[in-house]
């Protein structure tokens, strides 16, 4: 059987009815995964092939993901599988428990095949800050995958076997690599998906979400992981939707807002053009479009980097060389030991974030930076809420450019790096759901249409994206 022709849903139906030999499927798939990993560095850790083959020799798997291969970004814990969050400081750490999302995937029949590459702790936009190997873009290996969920997006783009990936976003890490690799990346509303068992970057910002080849597959994955979790008190109490079975390829009376600021300075004209043609397409399908303004857009980078680094600097304090991962011979007092381990094993960007975040939380500066950023964030949330009074969905580019070449990123300053997030940090700060869907190419590289919706309005977002995808 040629497994490469199977869609995710074909695979699930056939595997569920026992008409796929899973031993054969997984042994061929692992061969493919190893080849891809050699070419594109998509995994930090691949699961043990023999464990999977043994577990899968039982025929008929059940559940909505019956026997389907799934991958996890390296900051999502799965029992017994190394989790480093892209950092050398966590080398060898094997969590003794499952994150809630991993447990949910397993209980629905998903099979975890590996942990995908990422920027160290999520700090970056290109996956070039990984402590391990740097993933390459399958559309052009001289270019970055985007980040920080770069390995996941590259894997989905390169793999011709049925598979779904989970990534995670703090300030754009699902939309960005999805856009650069030409796949679908869905960032759920903050609090829709449990963060229990996620190695935190910024607790008030982190969202786990799907990366998939199609909108339908992303909806399937979201249905599998969404919903309240008593182990994560920030998850919403309300029951999640059934995104997959309610998915529609048409819409009625859809009002789309086009935020003027998202097409301004710094956005490449060839990217805006592709996105505008996608908007015209949605109009031809019956949507009404109007220009709107989100005036706080230029402030979002400053607000985001203060809040995200403040939260990251406290989260990283637990990596002190005593409880997890890397250790060194104990010498000197605690502070000396702590600095020795962290100086040796953390990358440059992680150190920069710790310094920035510690500064903005310090007595004397806290009011001026952290608390002020928190107040500004509330205003930004109100601005989005206001927009969703008259619009169902907003449309914009996901990234201001196509995936840059590695050599183009080498001379970028920290500020230039942070500016890459200009279009994604505001919706992430607001905690609203977004999706990046491929909408054409420039220089043969994919461009992502970014759709955003009000809190918990994932269904409208998915239906719009699905209608668009079906129409092209
Ligand atoms: N590029 C942003 C940052 O470095 C967002 C990354 C993310 O979402 N993890 O913080």
């Amino acid at each position: 059987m040629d497994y490469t022709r199977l869609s995710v849903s074909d695979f699930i139906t056939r595997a569920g009815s026992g008409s796929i030999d899973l031993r054969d499927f997984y042994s061929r798939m692992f061969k493919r995964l190893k080849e891809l990993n050699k070419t594109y560095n998509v995994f930090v850790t691949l699961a043990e092939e023999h464990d999977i083959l043994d577990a899968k020799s039982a025929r008929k798997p059940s559940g909505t993901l019956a026997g389907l291969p799934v991958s996890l970004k390296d900051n999502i814990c799965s029992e017994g599988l190394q989790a480093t969050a892209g950092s050398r400081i966590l080398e060898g750490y094997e969590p003794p428990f499952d994150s809630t999302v991993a447990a949910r995937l397993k209980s629905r029949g998903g099979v975890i095949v590996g942990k995908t590459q990422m920027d160290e702790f999520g700090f970056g936009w290109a996956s070039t800050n990984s402590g391990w190997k740097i993933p390459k873009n399958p559309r052009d290996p001289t270019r970055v995958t985007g980040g920080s969920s770069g390995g996941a997006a590259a894997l989905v783009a390169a793999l011709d076997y049925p598979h779904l990936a989970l990534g995670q976003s703090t300030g754009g890490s699902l939309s960005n690599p999805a856009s650069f690799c030409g796949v679908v990346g869905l960032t759920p509303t903050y609090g829709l998906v449990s963060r229990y068992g996620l190695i935190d970057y910024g607790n008030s910002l982190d969202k786990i979400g799907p990366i998939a080849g199609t909108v339908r597959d992303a909806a399937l994955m979201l249905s599998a992981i969404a919903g309240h979790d008593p182990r994560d008190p920030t998850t919403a109490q309300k029951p999640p939707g059934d995104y997959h079975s309610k998915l529609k390829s048409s819409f009625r009376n859809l009002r789309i807002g086009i935020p003027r600021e998202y097409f301004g300075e710094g956005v490449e004209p060839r990217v805006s053009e592709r996105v505008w043609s996608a908007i015209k397409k949605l109009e031809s399908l019956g949507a009404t479009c109007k220009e709107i303004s989100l005036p706080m857009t230029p402030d979002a980078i400053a607000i985001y980097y203060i809040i995200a680094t403040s939260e990251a600097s406290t989260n990283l304090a637990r990596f002190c060389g005593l409880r997890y991962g890397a250790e060194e011979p104990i010498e000197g007092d605690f502070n000396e030991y702590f600095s020795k381990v962290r100086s040796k094993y953390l990358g440059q960007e992680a150190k920069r974030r710790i310094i920035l975040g510690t500064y903005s939380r310090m007595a004397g500066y806290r009011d001026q930076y952290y608390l002020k950023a928190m107040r500004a964030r509330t205003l930004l949330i109100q601005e989005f809420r206001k927009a969703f009074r008259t619009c169902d969905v907003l449309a914009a580019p996901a990234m201001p450019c196509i995936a840059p070449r590695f050599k183009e990123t080498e001379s970028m300053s920290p500020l230039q790096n942070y500016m890459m997030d200009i279009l994604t940090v505001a919706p992430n700060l607001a905690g609203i759901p977004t999706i990046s869907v491929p909408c054409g190419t420039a220089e043969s590289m994919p461009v992502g249409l970014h759709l955003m919706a009000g809190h918990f309005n994932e269904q409208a977002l998915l239906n719009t994206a699905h209608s668009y995808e079906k129409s092209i």
Side-chain angles (χ1 to χ4, degrees), residues 204-231:
S204 79
L205 291 157
D206 294 339
K207 283 97 34 187
I208 294 177
I211 295 192
T214 65
V215 176
R216 179 174 288 288
D217 292 349
L220 176 70
M221 188 63 148
L222 182 65
S223 298
I225 57 171
H228 179 68
D229 175 13
R231 287 175 157 150

Side-chain angles (χ1 to χ4, degrees), residues 73 119 121-126 129 147-149 168-174 176 201 206 304-305 308 349 353 417-418 420-421 424-425 428:
K73 183 174 178 175
D119 286 297
F121 294 108
F123 304 150
W125 62 273
N129 293 333
S148 61
S149 313
Q168 168 272 342
S169 172
T170 312
S173 284
L174 286 154
N176 160 337
Y201 167 173
D206 294 339
Y304 171 80
Y305 274 95
E349 187 56 30
R353 306 264 175 136
N417 278 303
Y418 299 166
M420 290 299 283
D421 302 325
T424 55
V425 285
N428 273 275

Side-chain angles (χ1 to χ4, degrees), residues 242-243 246-248 456-464:
D242 187 356
Y243 311 101
K246 297 229 171 85
L247 192 66
K248 285 199 198 122
F456 299 102
N457 202 5
E458 272 76 5
Q459 198 68 57
L461 194 68
L462 287 160
N463 289 348
T464 312

